[in-house]
PDB file of all heavy atoms in Angstrom:
ATOM      1  N   PHE A   1     -58.308 -20.254  11.172  1.00 97.00           N
ATOM      2  CA  PHE A   1     -57.464 -19.065  11.199  1.00 97.00           C
ATOM      3  C   PHE A   1     -58.225 -17.844  10.673  1.00 97.00           C
ATOM      4  O   PHE A   1     -58.210 -16.775  11.278  1.00 97.00           O
ATOM      5  CB  PHE A   1     -56.200 -19.303  10.358  1.00 97.00           C
ATOM      6  CG  PHE A   1     -55.381 -18.063  10.146  1.00 97.00           C
ATOM      7  CD1 PHE A   1     -54.547 -17.588  11.147  1.00 97.00           C
ATOM      8  CD2 PHE A   1     -55.451 -17.371   8.949  1.00 97.00           C
ATOM      9  CE1 PHE A   1     -53.799 -16.442  10.953  1.00 97.00           C
ATOM     10  CE2 PHE A   1     -54.707 -16.228   8.746  1.00 97.00           C
ATOM     11  CZ  PHE A   1     -53.874 -15.757   9.742  1.00 97.00           C
ATOM     12  N   SER A   2     -58.916 -18.002   9.545  1.00 97.00           N
ATOM     13  CA  SER A   2     -59.650 -16.889   8.933  1.00 97.00           C
ATOM     14  C   SER A   2     -60.777 -16.391   9.835  1.00 97.00           C
ATOM     15  O   SER A   2     -60.978 -15.183   9.971  1.00 97.00           O
ATOM     16  CB  SER A   2     -60.213 -17.305   7.570  1.00 97.00           C
ATOM     17  OG  SER A   2     -59.160 -17.618   6.681  1.00 97.00           O
ATOM     18  N   ILE A   3     -61.496 -17.300  10.456  1.00 98.00           N
ATOM     19  CA  ILE A   3     -62.584 -16.912  11.370  1.00 98.00           C
ATOM     20  C   ILE A   3     -62.011 -16.176  12.588  1.00 98.00           C
ATOM     21  O   ILE A   3     -62.520 -15.126  12.988  1.00 98.00           O
ATOM     22  CB  ILE A   3     -63.410 -18.142  11.799  1.00 98.00           C
ATOM     23  CG1 ILE A   3     -64.226 -18.660  10.601  1.00 98.00           C
ATOM     24  CG2 ILE A   3     -64.322 -17.816  12.975  1.00 98.00           C
ATOM     25  CD1 ILE A   3     -64.873 -20.016  10.842  1.00 98.00           C
ATOM     26  N   ALA A   4     -60.946 -16.729  13.174  1.00 98.00           N
ATOM     27  CA  ALA A   4     -60.345 -16.113  14.368  1.00 98.00           C
ATOM     28  C   ALA A   4     -59.795 -14.724  14.055  1.00 98.00           C
ATOM     29  O   ALA A   4     -60.015 -13.780  14.825  1.00 98.00           O
ATOM     30  CB  ALA A   4     -59.244 -17.014  14.935  1.00 98.00           C
ATOM     31  N   THR A   5     -59.092 -14.581  12.942  1.00 97.00           N
ATOM     32  CA  THR A   5     -58.515 -13.273  12.631  1.00 97.00           C
ATOM     33  C   THR A   5     -59.590 -12.269  12.216  1.00 97.00           C
ATOM     34  O   THR A   5     -59.462 -11.077  12.519  1.00 97.00           O
ATOM     35  CB  THR A   5     -57.432 -13.377  11.536  1.00 97.00           C
ATOM     36  OG1 THR A   5     -57.968 -14.063  10.408  1.00 97.00           O
ATOM     37  CG2 THR A   5     -56.199 -14.083  12.057  1.00 97.00           C
ATOM     38  N   THR A   6     -60.638 -12.734  11.582  1.00 98.00           N
ATOM     39  CA  THR A   6     -61.749 -11.837  11.245  1.00 98.00           C
ATOM     40  C   THR A   6     -62.418 -11.332  12.514  1.00 98.00           C
ATOM     41  O   THR A   6     -62.700 -10.134  12.643  1.00 98.00           O
ATOM     42  CB  THR A   6     -62.767 -12.544  10.330  1.00 98.00           C
ATOM     43  OG1 THR A   6     -62.108 -12.922   9.113  1.00 98.00           O
ATOM     44  CG2 THR A   6     -63.951 -11.655  10.016  1.00 98.00           C
ATOM     45  N   ALA A   7     -62.651 -12.222  13.469  1.00 98.00           N
ATOM     46  CA  ALA A   7     -63.235 -11.805  14.749  1.00 98.00           C
ATOM     47  C   ALA A   7     -62.319 -10.811  15.455  1.00 98.00           C
ATOM     48  O   ALA A   7     -62.789  -9.794  15.989  1.00 98.00           O
ATOM     49  CB  ALA A   7     -63.474 -13.024  15.637  1.00 98.00           C
ATOM     50  N   TYR A   8     -61.016 -11.080  15.436  1.00 97.00           N
ATOM     51  CA  TYR A   8     -60.063 -10.160  16.057  1.00 97.00           C
ATOM     52  C   TYR A   8     -60.098  -8.788  15.385  1.00 97.00           C
ATOM     53  O   TYR A   8     -60.095  -7.757  16.059  1.00 97.00           O
ATOM     54  CB  TYR A   8     -58.650 -10.736  16.001  1.00 97.00           C
ATOM     55  CG  TYR A   8     -57.624  -9.781  16.547  1.00 97.00           C
ATOM     56  CD1 TYR A   8     -57.444  -9.634  17.921  1.00 97.00           C
ATOM     57  CD2 TYR A   8     -56.865  -8.986  15.691  1.00 97.00           C
ATOM     58  CE1 TYR A   8     -56.523  -8.739  18.427  1.00 97.00           C
ATOM     59  CE2 TYR A   8     -55.948  -8.083  16.195  1.00 97.00           C
ATOM     60  CZ  TYR A   8     -55.783  -7.961  17.551  1.00 97.00           C
ATOM     61  OH  TYR A   8     -54.879  -7.067  18.051  1.00 97.00           O
ATOM     62  N   ILE A   9     -60.147  -8.775  14.069  1.00 97.00           N
ATOM     63  CA  ILE A   9     -60.196  -7.506  13.327  1.00 97.00           C
ATOM     64  C   ILE A   9     -61.447  -6.719  13.704  1.00 97.00           C
ATOM     65  O   ILE A   9     -61.379  -5.504  13.933  1.00 97.00           O
ATOM     66  CB  ILE A   9     -60.122  -7.760  11.804  1.00 97.00           C
ATOM     67  CG1 ILE A   9     -58.679  -8.098  11.408  1.00 97.00           C
ATOM     68  CG2 ILE A   9     -60.644  -6.570  11.003  1.00 97.00           C
ATOM     69  CD1 ILE A   9     -58.521  -8.579   9.980  1.00 97.00           C
ATOM     70  N   LEU A  10     -62.582  -7.372  13.783  1.00 97.00           N
ATOM     71  CA  LEU A  10     -63.826  -6.672  14.125  1.00 97.00           C
ATOM     72  C   LEU A  10     -63.767  -6.096  15.540  1.00 97.00           C
ATOM     73  O   LEU A  10     -64.246  -4.981  15.784  1.00 97.00           O
ATOM     74  CB  LEU A  10     -65.025  -7.588  13.935  1.00 97.00           C
ATOM     75  CG  LEU A  10     -65.276  -8.007  12.481  1.00 97.00           C
ATOM     76  CD1 LEU A  10     -66.394  -9.040  12.403  1.00 97.00           C
ATOM     77  CD2 LEU A  10     -65.562  -6.808  11.594  1.00 97.00           C
ATOM     78  N   LEU A  11     -63.161  -6.829  16.469  1.00 97.00           N
ATOM     79  CA  LEU A  11     -62.975  -6.289  17.824  1.00 97.00           C
ATOM     80  C   LEU A  11     -61.954  -5.150  17.816  1.00 97.00           C
ATOM     81  O   LEU A  11     -62.151  -4.133  18.477  1.00 97.00           O
ATOM     82  CB  LEU A  11     -62.508  -7.392  18.774  1.00 97.00           C
ATOM     83  CG  LEU A  11     -63.553  -8.419  19.165  1.00 97.00           C
ATOM     84  CD1 LEU A  11     -62.906  -9.573  19.924  1.00 97.00           C
ATOM     85  CD2 LEU A  11     -64.651  -7.777  19.989  1.00 97.00           C
ATOM     86  N   ALA A  12     -60.873  -5.328  17.076  1.00 96.00           N
ATOM     87  CA  ALA A  12     -59.828  -4.302  17.020  1.00 96.00           C
ATOM     88  C   ALA A  12     -60.377  -2.992  16.467  1.00 96.00           C
ATOM     89  O   ALA A  12     -60.008  -1.915  16.939  1.00 96.00           O
ATOM     90  CB  ALA A  12     -58.655  -4.789  16.166  1.00 96.00           C
ATOM     91  N   ILE A  13     -61.259  -3.076  15.481  1.00 97.00           N
ATOM     92  CA  ILE A  13     -61.853  -1.869  14.905  1.00 97.00           C
ATOM     93  C   ILE A  13     -62.615  -1.100  15.981  1.00 97.00           C
ATOM     94  O   ILE A  13     -62.502   0.119  16.086  1.00 97.00           O
ATOM     95  CB  ILE A  13     -62.764  -2.204  13.710  1.00 97.00           C
ATOM     96  CG1 ILE A  13     -61.911  -2.612  12.517  1.00 97.00           C
ATOM     97  CG2 ILE A  13     -63.678  -1.034  13.354  1.00 97.00           C
ATOM     98  CD1 ILE A  13     -62.712  -3.161  11.347  1.00 97.00           C
ATOM     99  N   LYS A  14     -63.377  -1.824  16.796  1.00 96.00           N
ATOM    100  CA  LYS A  14     -64.143  -1.167  17.870  1.00 96.00           C
ATOM    101  C   LYS A  14     -63.206  -0.409  18.803  1.00 96.00           C
ATOM    102  O   LYS A  14     -63.438   0.756  19.123  1.00 96.00           O
ATOM    103  CB  LYS A  14     -64.952  -2.218  18.628  1.00 96.00           C
ATOM    104  CG  LYS A  14     -65.753  -1.664  19.756  1.00 96.00           C
ATOM    105  CD  LYS A  14     -66.513  -2.755  20.487  1.00 96.00           C
ATOM    106  CE  LYS A  14     -67.238  -2.172  21.660  1.00 96.00           C
ATOM    107  NZ  LYS A  14     -67.948  -3.153  22.434  1.00 96.00           N
ATOM    108  N   TRP A  15     -62.128  -1.059  19.246  1.00 96.00           N
ATOM    109  CA  TRP A  15     -61.187  -0.425  20.175  1.00 96.00           C
ATOM    110  C   TRP A  15     -60.403   0.690  19.497  1.00 96.00           C
ATOM    111  O   TRP A  15     -60.166   1.736  20.090  1.00 96.00           O
ATOM    112  CB  TRP A  15     -60.236  -1.460  20.756  1.00 96.00           C
ATOM    113  CG  TRP A  15     -60.928  -2.501  21.591  1.00 96.00           C
ATOM    114  CD1 TRP A  15     -61.984  -2.305  22.439  1.00 96.00           C
ATOM    115  CD2 TRP A  15     -60.629  -3.883  21.645  1.00 96.00           C
ATOM    116  NE1 TRP A  15     -62.346  -3.499  23.020  1.00 96.00           N
ATOM    117  CE2 TRP A  15     -61.529  -4.486  22.551  1.00 96.00           C
ATOM    118  CE3 TRP A  15     -59.689  -4.693  21.016  1.00 96.00           C
ATOM    119  CZ2 TRP A  15     -61.509  -5.838  22.847  1.00 96.00           C
ATOM    120  CZ3 TRP A  15     -59.674  -6.042  21.304  1.00 96.00           C
ATOM    121  CH2 TRP A  15     -60.567  -6.601  22.216  1.00 96.00           C
ATOM    122  N   GLU A  16     -59.986   0.448  18.262  1.00 94.00           N
ATOM    123  CA  GLU A  16     -59.210   1.461  17.544  1.00 94.00           C
ATOM    124  C   GLU A  16     -60.041   2.714  17.306  1.00 94.00           C
ATOM    125  O   GLU A  16     -59.554   3.831  17.495  1.00 94.00           O
ATOM    126  CB  GLU A  16     -58.725   0.890  16.211  1.00 94.00           C
ATOM    127  CG  GLU A  16     -57.873   1.851  15.425  1.00 94.00           C
ATOM    128  CD  GLU A  16     -57.367   1.246  14.131  1.00 94.00           C
ATOM    129  OE1 GLU A  16     -57.327   0.003  14.002  1.00 94.00           O
ATOM    130  OE2 GLU A  16     -57.000   2.034  13.248  1.00 94.00           O
ATOM    131  N   GLU A  17     -61.291   2.545  16.926  1.00 96.00           N
ATOM    132  CA  GLU A  17     -62.137   3.709  16.679  1.00 96.00           C
ATOM    133  C   GLU A  17     -62.433   4.463  17.972  1.00 96.00           C
ATOM    134  O   GLU A  17     -62.518   5.685  17.956  1.00 96.00           O
ATOM    135  CB  GLU A  17     -63.413   3.303  15.945  1.00 96.00           C
ATOM    136  CG  GLU A  17     -63.104   2.913  14.518  1.00 96.00           C
ATOM    137  CD  GLU A  17     -64.287   3.002  13.592  1.00 96.00           C
ATOM    138  OE1 GLU A  17     -65.441   2.874  14.052  1.00 96.00           O
ATOM    139  OE2 GLU A  17     -64.045   3.215  12.392  1.00 96.00           O
ATOM    140  N   ARG A  18     -62.561   3.757  19.070  1.00 96.00           N
ATOM    141  CA  ARG A  18     -62.732   4.427  20.365  1.00 96.00           C
ATOM    142  C   ARG A  18     -61.516   5.301  20.665  1.00 96.00           C
ATOM    143  O   ARG A  18     -61.648   6.459  21.056  1.00 96.00           O
ATOM    144  CB  ARG A  18     -62.943   3.387  21.461  1.00 96.00           C
ATOM    145  CG  ARG A  18     -63.164   4.007  22.839  1.00 96.00           C
ATOM    146  CD  ARG A  18     -62.983   3.012  23.947  1.00 96.00           C
ATOM    147  NE  ARG A  18     -61.604   2.539  23.909  1.00 96.00           N
ATOM    148  CZ  ARG A  18     -61.191   1.373  24.377  1.00 96.00           C
ATOM    149  NH1 ARG A  18     -62.031   0.543  24.937  1.00 96.00           N
ATOM    150  NH2 ARG A  18     -59.917   1.013  24.308  1.00 96.00           N
ATOM    151  N   ASP A  19     -60.323   4.740  20.459  1.00 94.00           N
ATOM    152  CA  ASP A  19     -59.090   5.493  20.718  1.00 94.00           C
ATOM    153  C   ASP A  19     -58.932   6.661  19.743  1.00 94.00           C
ATOM    154  O   ASP A  19     -58.506   7.748  20.147  1.00 94.00           O
ATOM    155  CB  ASP A  19     -57.872   4.575  20.621  1.00 94.00           C
ATOM    156  CG  ASP A  19     -57.822   3.555  21.736  1.00 94.00           C
ATOM    157  OD1 ASP A  19     -58.562   3.711  22.736  1.00 94.00           O
ATOM    158  OD2 ASP A  19     -57.054   2.577  21.614  1.00 94.00           O
ATOM    159  N   LEU A  20     -59.246   6.452  18.479  1.00 93.00           N
ATOM    160  CA  LEU A  20     -59.119   7.526  17.496  1.00 93.00           C
ATOM    161  C   LEU A  20     -60.094   8.666  17.795  1.00 93.00           C
ATOM    162  O   LEU A  20     -59.747   9.830  17.664  1.00 93.00           O
ATOM    163  CB  LEU A  20     -59.340   6.985  16.079  1.00 93.00           C
ATOM    164  CG  LEU A  20     -58.201   6.146  15.523  1.00 93.00           C
ATOM    165  CD1 LEU A  20     -58.644   5.396  14.269  1.00 93.00           C
ATOM    166  CD2 LEU A  20     -56.989   7.007  15.248  1.00 93.00           C
ATOM    167  N   THR A  21     -61.301   8.324  18.195  1.00 95.00           N
ATOM    168  CA  THR A  21     -62.277   9.347  18.558  1.00 95.00           C
ATOM    169  C   THR A  21     -61.788  10.121  19.773  1.00 95.00           C
ATOM    170  O   THR A  21     -61.896  11.350  19.825  1.00 95.00           O
ATOM    171  CB  THR A  21     -63.656   8.714  18.832  1.00 95.00           C
ATOM    172  OG1 THR A  21     -64.086   8.047  17.648  1.00 95.00           O
ATOM    173  CG2 THR A  21     -64.680   9.754  19.225  1.00 95.00           C
ATOM    174  N   SER A  22     -61.232   9.413  20.742  1.00 94.00           N
ATOM    175  CA  SER A  22     -60.708  10.070  21.938  1.00 94.00           C
ATOM    176  C   SER A  22     -59.547  11.002  21.599  1.00 94.00           C
ATOM    177  O   SER A  22     -59.458  12.111  22.116  1.00 94.00           O
ATOM    178  CB  SER A  22     -60.257   9.005  22.938  1.00 94.00           C
ATOM    179  OG  SER A  22     -59.637   9.592  24.033  1.00 94.00           O
ATOM    180  N   GLU A  23     -58.664  10.557  20.709  1.00 90.00           N
ATOM    181  CA  GLU A  23     -57.478  11.348  20.374  1.00 90.00           C
ATOM    182  C   GLU A  23     -57.764  12.468  19.378  1.00 90.00           C
ATOM    183  O   GLU A  23     -57.265  13.577  19.518  1.00 90.00           O
ATOM    184  CB  GLU A  23     -56.394  10.444  19.790  1.00 90.00           C
ATOM    185  CG  GLU A  23     -55.089  11.173  19.547  1.00 90.00           C
ATOM    186  CD  GLU A  23     -53.991  10.235  19.093  1.00 90.00           C
ATOM    187  OE1 GLU A  23     -53.944   9.088  19.578  1.00 90.00           O
ATOM    188  OE2 GLU A  23     -53.189  10.655  18.258  1.00 90.00           O
ATOM    189  N   LEU A  24     -58.603  12.191  18.376  1.00 91.00           N
ATOM    190  CA  LEU A  24     -58.804  13.153  17.293  1.00 91.00           C
ATOM    191  C   LEU A  24     -60.118  13.930  17.382  1.00 91.00           C
ATOM    192  O   LEU A  24     -60.306  14.892  16.647  1.00 91.00           O
ATOM    193  CB  LEU A  24     -58.725  12.439  15.940  1.00 91.00           C
ATOM    194  CG  LEU A  24     -57.413  11.714  15.660  1.00 91.00           C
ATOM    195  CD1 LEU A  24     -57.535  10.837  14.432  1.00 91.00           C
ATOM    196  CD2 LEU A  24     -56.272  12.704  15.525  1.00 91.00           C
ATOM    197  N   GLY A  25     -61.017  13.485  18.233  1.00 92.00           N
ATOM    198  CA  GLY A  25     -62.269  14.213  18.470  1.00 92.00           C
ATOM    199  C   GLY A  25     -63.176  14.317  17.257  1.00 92.00           C
ATOM    200  O   GLY A  25     -63.418  13.336  16.555  1.00 92.00           O
ATOM    201  N   ASP A  26     -63.666  15.527  17.012  1.00 94.00           N
ATOM    202  CA  ASP A  26     -64.644  15.762  15.951  1.00 94.00           C
ATOM    203  C   ASP A  26     -64.121  15.411  14.565  1.00 94.00           C
ATOM    204  O   ASP A  26     -64.882  14.973  13.708  1.00 94.00           O
ATOM    205  CB  ASP A  26     -65.106  17.222  15.959  1.00 94.00           C
ATOM    206  CG  ASP A  26     -65.999  17.527  17.150  1.00 94.00           C
ATOM    207  OD1 ASP A  26     -66.559  16.576  17.741  1.00 94.00           O
ATOM    208  OD2 ASP A  26     -66.123  18.718  17.498  1.00 94.00           O
ATOM    209  N   ALA A  27     -62.837  15.589  14.338  1.00 93.00           N
ATOM    210  CA  ALA A  27     -62.274  15.279  13.021  1.00 93.00           C
ATOM    211  C   ALA A  27     -62.512  13.814  12.685  1.00 93.00           C
ATOM    212  O   ALA A  27     -62.933  13.473  11.577  1.00 93.00           O
ATOM    213  CB  ALA A  27     -60.781  15.594  12.983  1.00 93.00           C
ATOM    214  N   TYR A  28     -62.288  12.924  13.661  1.00 94.00           N
ATOM    215  CA  TYR A  28     -62.507  11.502  13.394  1.00 94.00           C
ATOM    216  C   TYR A  28     -63.998  11.169  13.389  1.00 94.00           C
ATOM    217  O   TYR A  28     -64.439  10.349  12.586  1.00 94.00           O
ATOM    218  CB  TYR A  28     -61.768  10.608  14.394  1.00 94.00           C
ATOM    219  CG  TYR A  28     -61.797   9.175  13.916  1.00 94.00           C
ATOM    220  CD1 TYR A  28     -60.944   8.759  12.908  1.00 94.00           C
ATOM    221  CD2 TYR A  28     -62.720   8.265  14.413  1.00 94.00           C
ATOM    222  CE1 TYR A  28     -60.998   7.470  12.413  1.00 94.00           C
ATOM    223  CE2 TYR A  28     -62.774   6.974  13.937  1.00 94.00           C
ATOM    224  CZ  TYR A  28     -61.916   6.582  12.933  1.00 94.00           C
ATOM    225  OH  TYR A  28     -61.983   5.304  12.437  1.00 94.00           O
ATOM    226  N   GLU A  29     -64.772  11.790  14.250  1.00 95.00           N
ATOM    227  CA  GLU A  29     -66.217  11.533  14.266  1.00 95.00           C
ATOM    228  C   GLU A  29     -66.845  11.904  12.920  1.00 95.00           C
ATOM    229  O   GLU A  29     -67.684  11.173  12.405  1.00 95.00           O
ATOM    230  CB  GLU A  29     -66.896  12.303  15.399  1.00 95.00           C
ATOM    231  CG  GLU A  29     -67.014  11.542  16.672  1.00 95.00           C
ATOM    232  CD  GLU A  29     -67.712  10.191  16.528  1.00 95.00           C
ATOM    233  OE1 GLU A  29     -68.801  10.108  15.921  1.00 95.00           O
ATOM    234  OE2 GLU A  29     -67.162   9.214  17.026  1.00 95.00           O
ATOM    235  N   ASN A  30     -66.454  13.029  12.353  1.00 94.00           N
ATOM    236  CA  ASN A  30     -66.970  13.431  11.043  1.00 94.00           C
ATOM    237  C   ASN A  30     -66.549  12.441   9.968  1.00 94.00           C
ATOM    238  O   ASN A  30     -67.348  12.067   9.101  1.00 94.00           O
ATOM    239  CB  ASN A  30     -66.501  14.844  10.680  1.00 94.00           C
ATOM    240  CG  ASN A  30     -67.119  15.884  11.580  1.00 94.00           C
ATOM    241  OD1 ASN A  30     -68.195  15.688  12.151  1.00 94.00           O
ATOM    242  ND2 ASN A  30     -66.436  17.005  11.736  1.00 94.00           N
ATOM    243  N   TYR A  31     -65.311  12.012  10.021  1.00 94.00           N
ATOM    244  CA  TYR A  31     -64.805  11.006   9.083  1.00 94.00           C
ATOM    245  C   TYR A  31     -65.580   9.707   9.252  1.00 94.00           C
ATOM    246  O   TYR A  31     -66.007   9.092   8.274  1.00 94.00           O
ATOM    247  CB  TYR A  31     -63.314  10.797   9.346  1.00 94.00           C
ATOM    248  CG  TYR A  31     -62.674   9.695   8.553  1.00 94.00           C
ATOM    249  CD1 TYR A  31     -62.589   9.759   7.162  1.00 94.00           C
ATOM    250  CD2 TYR A  31     -62.113   8.591   9.198  1.00 94.00           C
ATOM    251  CE1 TYR A  31     -61.982   8.749   6.438  1.00 94.00           C
ATOM    252  CE2 TYR A  31     -61.501   7.582   8.480  1.00 94.00           C
ATOM    253  CZ  TYR A  31     -61.434   7.658   7.099  1.00 94.00           C
ATOM    254  OH  TYR A  31     -60.836   6.657   6.385  1.00 94.00           O
TER     255      TYR A  31
END
């Protein structure tokens, strides 16, 4: 369970950051 959810979290971060960069632009890139 811990390995699977950790892998999911690492993938989710990639997708979430892509979406946040798309939505928030430079503000998120600077952050």
Side-chain angles (χ1 to χ4, degrees):
F1 171 79
S2 297
I3 290 169
T5 53
T6 299
Y8 176 79
I9 284 171
L10 295 174
L11 287 171
I13 287 171
K14 179 181 177 182
W15 296 322
E16 182 178 339
E17 289 202 333
R18 181 196 62 205
D19 292 346
L20 287 167
T21 300
S22 174
E23 186 175 323
L24 301 169
D26 288 340
Y28 191 78
E29 268 305 311
N30 292 335
Y31 174 64

